[in-house]
Amino acid sequence: SKIAAIGETIDIRGCRVSRSWLEASRKGVRANHMVQLDLRWALIEDRANFGQLTFGNETSFEGASFGKWVSFRGAKFGNEAHFEDATFGRRADFWGATFGDEVHLEDATFGKRADFRGVKFGHGATFDDAKFEDDVSFYDAEFKDEATFFGTIFKDKADFRYSTFGKRALFGLAEFGRN
């Protein structure tokens, strides 16, 4: 059964998503194909692999809940990527991902390790009021313009070694645990 043609929007807002659906939806989708995806408020209980995908101009995972491991390793996001209020249960892997103009992770919660190593952020990366319960790595990440971490809580180790910030990085009222 066909889920969506390449370039069409996959919209499953508010649905419970199984691992088998995610695996089926990736079949035939090659890294150079663009995918429009709307997973607002979806519950993804198992592992989810979005690695190497190219997302359209606006992708939304707003309020989505990832129960276990999720990977966006090497993914390319268009103009806007939304992860506001998203919950990442175990491991969140964004290693080597590229974000277009804006990425929004306001009020996102990361339960276990979060990996943003080597990520290229476009004009704005907003992590305001996000909560990292465990280690987070921004090792060698590139923030093209502005990065904001207002009120962000880093409960454990936050690694920003070799990261570069274009215009400014704002950490007002951020809390740092073990570093």
Side-chain angles (χ1 to χ4, degrees), residues 56-119:
N57 283 334
E58 187 170 352
T59 300
S60 185
F61 292 92
E62 180 180 352
S65 181
F66 300 94
K68 294 186 179 176
W69 169 90
V70 62
S71 177
F72 293 95
R73 185 178 284 223
K76 292 176 177 57
F77 292 86
N79 294 340
E80 292 186 31
H82 295 272
F83 292 90
E84 298 98 325
D85 295 303
T87 301
F88 298 88
R90 291 196 182 151
R91 184 175 173 91
D93 181 3
F94 287 87
W95 188 348
T98 301
F99 290 96
D101 288 335
E102 301 279 336
V103 60
H104 298 274
L105 289 121
E106 295 98 318
D107 296 301
T109 300
F110 296 85
K112 292 284 184 179
R113 297 197 57 175
D115 194 345
F116 292 90
R117 285 181 286 176
V119 170

Side-chain angles (χ1 to χ4, degrees), residues 103-173:
V103 60
H104 298 274
L105 289 121
E106 295 98 318
D107 296 301
T109 300
F110 296 85
K112 292 284 184 179
R113 297 197 57 175
D115 194 345
F116 292 90
R117 285 181 286 176
V119 170
K120 293 185 183 345
F121 294 97
H123 295 290
T126 308
F127 289 86
D128 298 348
D129 296 313
K131 184 185 287 184
F132 294 93
E133 299 283 349
D134 201 353
D135 292 352
V136 58
S137 179
F138 289 94
Y139 182 94
D140 200 31
E142 179 185 320
F143 296 86
K144 184 175 179 181
D145 284 334
E146 184 172 281
T148 63
F149 294 88
F150 285 112
T152 301
I153 297 171
F154 300 96
K155 284 195 170 181
D156 217 327
K157 185 178 178 185
D159 184 0
F160 285 91
R161 289 176 298 148
Y162 303 105
S163 292
T164 57
F165 296 90
K167 289 189 178 174
R168 61 185 171 177
L170 305 170
F171 288 88
L173 302 175

